[in-house]
Amino acid sequence: MMHEWNDLANEFQDDLSRARVIATTEGPGLDYASGGNAELIRQSGSALTSTLYERAVYCRAMAAKIQAALGKYATAEETHSTEINQTGGSL
């Protein structure tokens, strides 16, 4: 599951480079309409860039939490196995 979160973060990261292109769009002409449309597209690209970045960060944080939980689980399992073996029991 940790790898899936990292894979998703990587996809968001890949999309982020494409969103930056949108965020830096220039109008095709010097007229008011071209400039106005380009500004709206840049604003949209900027919002998309921010959202993709935040989602990538969230996914990486989730992967880190899962990794930490797995580490704690493995440690607890090892501790309990050792305790059971010391009392003469078996798993």
Side-chain angles (χ1 to χ4, degrees):
M1 179 170 251
M2 176 183 57
H3 298 292
E4 292 169 356
W5 281 107
N6 280 320
D7 290 346
L8 187 57
N10 291 338
E11 288 180 33
F12 284 131
Q13 199 69 37
D14 291 343
D15 292 340
L16 190 56
S17 63
R18 294 180 194 99
R20 287 186 182 118
V21 172
I22 297 170
T24 58
T25 296
E26 295 295 327
L30 298 177
D31 59 293
Y32 176 76
S34 291
N37 285 336
E39 177 59 29
L40 291 174
I41 291 169
R42 282 193 298 273
Q43 289 173 5
S44 178
S46 179
L48 179 59
T49 300
S50 296
T51 300
L52 290 170
Y53 175 77
E54 290 168 4
R55 289 184 179 168
V57 168
Y58 175 81
C59 290
R60 299 232 188 266
M62 290 302 294
K65 287 179 182 181
I66 291 169
Q67 184 173 7
L70 288 173
K72 288 178 184 178
Y73 176 80
T75 300
E77 185 174 359
E78 182 178 326
T79 300
H80 296 305
S81 294
T82 301
E83 290 172 359
I84 289 171
N85 289 335
Q86 287 175 348
T87 60
S90 65
L91 292 177

